[in-house]
Amino acid sequence: MRQRSLRDVLVGPVRPALLLMWGAVGLLLLIACVNVANLLLARSISRQKEFALRAALGASRGRMVRQALTESVMLSLAGGALGVLGATWAIHALHAFGPLSVPRLNESGINPAVLGFTVGISLLTGVAFGLVPALQVSGGEFTQGLKESGRTSAPTSHKRLSSALVVGEIAMSLTLLVSAGLLLKSFWRLIHVVPGFQTDHVVTARLSLNQPAYGRYGDPQKRVKFWRQFEDQVKALPGVVAVGATSELPLTGSHSDDPFHIPGRSYGPSEFDDAQFRQVTPGYLSAMRIPLMSGRWLDERDNADSLGVVVVNQAFAKRFFADGDVLGKRLQLMGDPQQTREIVGVVGNITHVALSEPDWPEMYVPYAQFAPPTMNVVVRAAANPTNLSAALHAQVSAVDKDVTLSAVTSMDDVLGASVSQPRFSSQLLGVFAGLALLLAAIGLYGLMAYSVTQRRNEIGIRMALGATREDILKLVLRHGSVLALAGLGIGLGASMIATRVLSNMLFAVSPIDPQAFLSVSLLLAAVALGACYIPARRAAKVDPIVALRYE
């Protein structure tokens, strides 16, 4: 017997998605921190004369560093407070739109531990990303700063650091965007998988006859009689096209298998074949519109007094009878009240467990020959099936007023719930990627705008010497394009490594899908070019006379 902890049972299926979200949040936080660092660096450069004057008046380097850190920490705490307010709104959105498959999602909230973590991250951000600019500006040559007039210029080291931060920001944004693109493409392919049956206009419900109050249904034949009466009454309802029932409803996570032997084949002492096992009523095939490939489907002739029969799917026939015709072959199911069962039909494959799962071998046996106490009714209607809910409850009560239906829902909702987890992961990562794209655009725009301001005098000289507006526009765009291309190059390499972590979460999509990488790269390049164009256009409009007087 395989033992598993309760934590693995509850969190195991969604653990990869939660870790992915944690990594995406961390990367987004780092991108925001890079923007903060660039902002503080630019601000420190503009305050060179102020710090030079403070140093001349006797302020020590330590005191100036403390002042700069205090300011950055206060900004970080203010941002953290706004973040808590935003998180409160986001949690309400998660409660409203999050999937039920995420354990205890509805219990999530901002507790003291989360609040403390937020305060700690805010403080750490302010200290870590405010320390480098503070050390650089406080360690400058103050005598030179006092000699400068008007505008201060950024040292080469500051320019290189700002450019490196923007390159890193673009690279991290590309990694998030590629990951989101792969998940979205995977989800798109997943929801377009043909499940092998039709979900439109179908309503389902669960009915159990094994409650203590239903002791009168301990005899399987009484259960068979109940289901026949119930299905006959439901068929008579206006708008009902077909009615059936199955022991395990597709795409709900419930499934069972049964070992069997094929007569004439040799098996060891503990060897057997195995396939998925369903008990169904005669109307199930037409209610779900599963195609019949050969032979016949189960009908009213297949009862407890007749010979045992079974219908298998194409995957079963291909796996166990690939060398010949499957019809007429016999199976010995373990624990079966029938000695052997004859295969009388072959139906199409359906994705029973999940849309991402391969086709499994399946067996269908008549409910009248193997009647479990719990079944799922399937009703196909000519129009909207949700109107049948009250009628189904009434028909159950008409057969036995003590029996009730549960889990009444449409098959479309069942299909939607089966893909709720990948939908949630792709949507949430898409939001994070969108925020990263926005932050990268803001960071690149800020750097280019600041660079234009710093180079205003240079631009005026170039224009006075004959440079045209187009030349200035190309000059600024070339600088931004070099940074963007460097970030894209680094980001592509990092994405090829990072997306391999997603391989277990992708469906029919390669972790290094060329289409996703190319489209995301072009998107980020277009956004980066747009972020550079506005400062470049502003630079092209500089009046050379005004620029030369700027100093």
Side-chain angles (χ1 to χ4, degrees), residues 175 178-179 182 490-503 511-512 517:
T175 302
V178 168
S179 300
L182 289 174
I490 297 173
L492 285 174
S495 298
M496 290 182 181
I497 299 174
T499 52
R500 295 188 181 278
V501 181
L502 297 176
S503 57
I512 52 174
F517 274 73

Side-chain angles (χ1 to χ4, degrees), residues 261 296 321 372 384 443 493 509:
H261 285 161
R296 71 171 180 89
F321 297 95
N384 187 0
V509 176

